[in-house]
Amino acid sequence: RTGSPLLGQRLRLPALGATVYENRFSVTDLPLLGDHRIFGEVVVSGACYLSMLLAAVAKARKSAACVVRDVGFVQPLVIAAGQAVTVQAVLTPEGDRTALRLVSFADGDDDDGGGDDPVVSTHVEAMVHAGELPPAAASAQPRHAGWERCAEEIGAERFYRTQAERHIGLGPSYRWIDAIRLGKGEAVCAIRVPASLGGLESRPLHPGLLDAAFGLLLAAAPLADGDTWLPFGIEAVRVHADPDPDHCWAHLVLRPAGGVDRVAADVQVFDRNDRLVLEFIGFEGRRARSRDVLRHLTAGTEGRLYAKDWRPLAPAAAASAPPSRWLLLADSQGVAEHLARPLQADGARCVLAFAGTAFAAT
């Protein structure tokens, strides 16, 4: 075991050329997961993914300080009621870089060698450059300066109530925000460790702490009509030190508007002594409309109840339909020509298009 309930165990796979950590995600094993629900479904938070990858990088480097670049949130992971999912953090060396991926596949897939391979879904991709460390943190930023500029205060209960109205249910282990203040293009929040941590320790980098920084974006750039921002990507995550989560605070600065469907910001997290410990550079959110989120989650959960099954189908009776027409994208191996012959014998019209250096019609 790695000592991290979130990261799980390291697999011994010397022939693979990659470092793999594996864990089993279920609400029973990790109560934290049940504290993040969207439209009532358990959806693993982007902060949870990021916490797992940062833990894997810290293990590999034997240091909390690191820079993770080009973080992309590919697709959500929905855990159906009573189900479990195997989640793996995969670190693959690529020259002077290491590619990071967080993937999953459902428990119960046939793994005895006699069935189909499990369907693997990728949820996060990122990159670490060899030897890169975060730049030296600037002098401590006084907390009172940000709080004085941001005059509009939002209580924690009001913030979480607003999220609930958008069908984002955050349980106790995700309620790290103590208070929020808004200013012109910026926001600050006080962070405190909640009584319940969902089966994890507060250090290192609990998902709830990371999610509090994400939550500032929802408060600083509110949307109407029940829509919300979902994390899309981060240019760089800089971890200067493993922060003591007691009495941390975060400061967000919005970047110039990128349109009605996207928003970007830079977020800094400071410790109780106002020292910079964590940064999200170029954190981007994309607009998520409630109806689209609900449709996606419903499809994601109902899909697990179905299996592929090939059944014979009697050929349709011949009809006086017009000849079919086919466009075949052809290579130089003769496959398209071979396919065209029986189609043409049945009266079909076939057009073959070959790759070339310029367009030509013959």
Side-chain angles (χ1 to χ4, degrees):
R1 302 293 291 185
T2 63
S4 169
L6 189 61
L7 191 57
Q9 63 179 343
R10 179 174 177 176
L11 304 183
R12 296 178 60 85
L13 302 169
L16 186 61
T19 301
V20 180
Y21 294 94
E22 181 176 287
N23 205 355
R24 182 178 182 270
F25 273 22
S26 73
V27 175
T28 301
D29 296 330
L30 281 172
L32 164 95
L33 300 174
D35 282 347
H36 190 275
R37 296 176 182 266
I38 300 179
F39 283 96
E41 298 288 346
V42 174
V43 181
V44 180
S45 69
C48 191
Y49 301 143
L50 191 55
S51 178
M52 190 173 180
L53 286 181
L54 289 174
V57 173
K59 288 286 183 183
R61 294 198 166 193
K62 298 180 174 58
S63 170
C66 68
V67 179
V68 176
R69 296 191 174 276
D70 304 323
V71 179
F73 298 97
V74 181
Q75 64 175 315
L77 171 56
V78 183
I79 300 180
Q83 299 298 310
V85 177
T86 297
V87 177
Q88 293 181 341
V90 184
L91 288 68
T92 306
E94 297 180 355
D96 62 348
R97 306 182 304 174
T98 298
L100 310 178
R101 292 175 64 219
L102 195 144
V103 303
S104 74
F105 50 91
D107 276 13
D109 285 329
D110 189 357
D111 59 0
D112 62 2
D116 295 335
D117 290 334
V119 177
V120 178
S121 300
T122 299
H123 303 286
V124 181
E125 295 176 336
M127 192 71 66
V128 174
H129 293 261
E132 183 179 17
L133 293 174
S139 58
Q141 175 174 327
R143 174 174 175 173
H144 64 81
W147 284 75
E148 289 174 358
R149 290 195 306 270
C150 300
E152 181 185 351
E153 185 163 349
I154 299 177
E157 288 304 317
R158 174 184 165 189
F159 171 76
Y160 290 118
R161 184 169 60 251
T162 300
Q163 302 319 308
E165 291 169 355
R166 290 184 165 91
H167 305 282
I168 301 175
L170 300 175
S173 60
Y174 273 91
R175 298 197 170 204
W176 287 61
I177 291 179
D178 196 29
I180 298 175
R181 293 179 69 125
L182 304 179
K184 186 176 181 179
E186 64 178 328
V188 294
C189 75
I191 296 174
R192 60 171 175 81
V193 180
S196 172
L197 295 173
L200 303 181
E201 299 294 330
S202 61
R203 302 174 71 174
L205 291 176
H206 189 285
L209 171 62
L210 302 179
D211 196 70
F214 291 2
L216 265 184
L217 187 67
L218 302 177
L223 289 170
D225 304 323
D227 294 350
T228 190
W229 300 111
L230 291 182
F232 179 79
I234 308 173
E235 292 176 12
V237 180
R238 299 173 180 168
V239 182
H240 295 271
D242 178 18
D244 180 353
D246 288 321
H247 308 295
C248 282
W249 64 284
H251 179 221
L252 174 143
V253 177
L254 290 173
R255 291 188 172 187
V260 296
D261 290 327
R262 64 180 294 271
V263 66
D266 300 316
V267 189
Q268 295 180 317
V269 179
F270 299 85
D271 66 11
R272 65 169 71 199
N273 297 315
D274 296 339
R275 292 176 300 191
L276 181 62
V277 293
L278 177 65
E279 293 179 276
F280 302 99
I281 307 300
F283 172 45
E284 181 178 344
R286 294 288 177 94
R287 187 187 190 107
R289 292 172 173 81
S290 298
R291 63 181 182 275
D292 297 330
V293 174
L294 180 59
R295 186 184 305 117
H296 181 87
L297 294 180
T298 302
T301 55
E302 289 183 352
R304 295 189 181 90
L305 303 178
Y306 294 85
K308 292 178 291 186
D309 184 23
W310 292 96
R311 297 187 179 184
L313 186 65
S320 58
S324 60
R325 299 177 180 180
W326 296 83
L327 171 63
L328 304 180
L329 305 182
D331 57 17
S332 60
Q333 306 301 313
V335 177
E337 293 93 327
H338 182 76
L339 175 60
R341 283 194 289 271
L343 292 172
Q344 292 168 332
D346 288 337
R349 179 188 176 195
C350 296
V351 176
L352 277 66
F354 294 87
T357 58
F359 173 78
T362 59

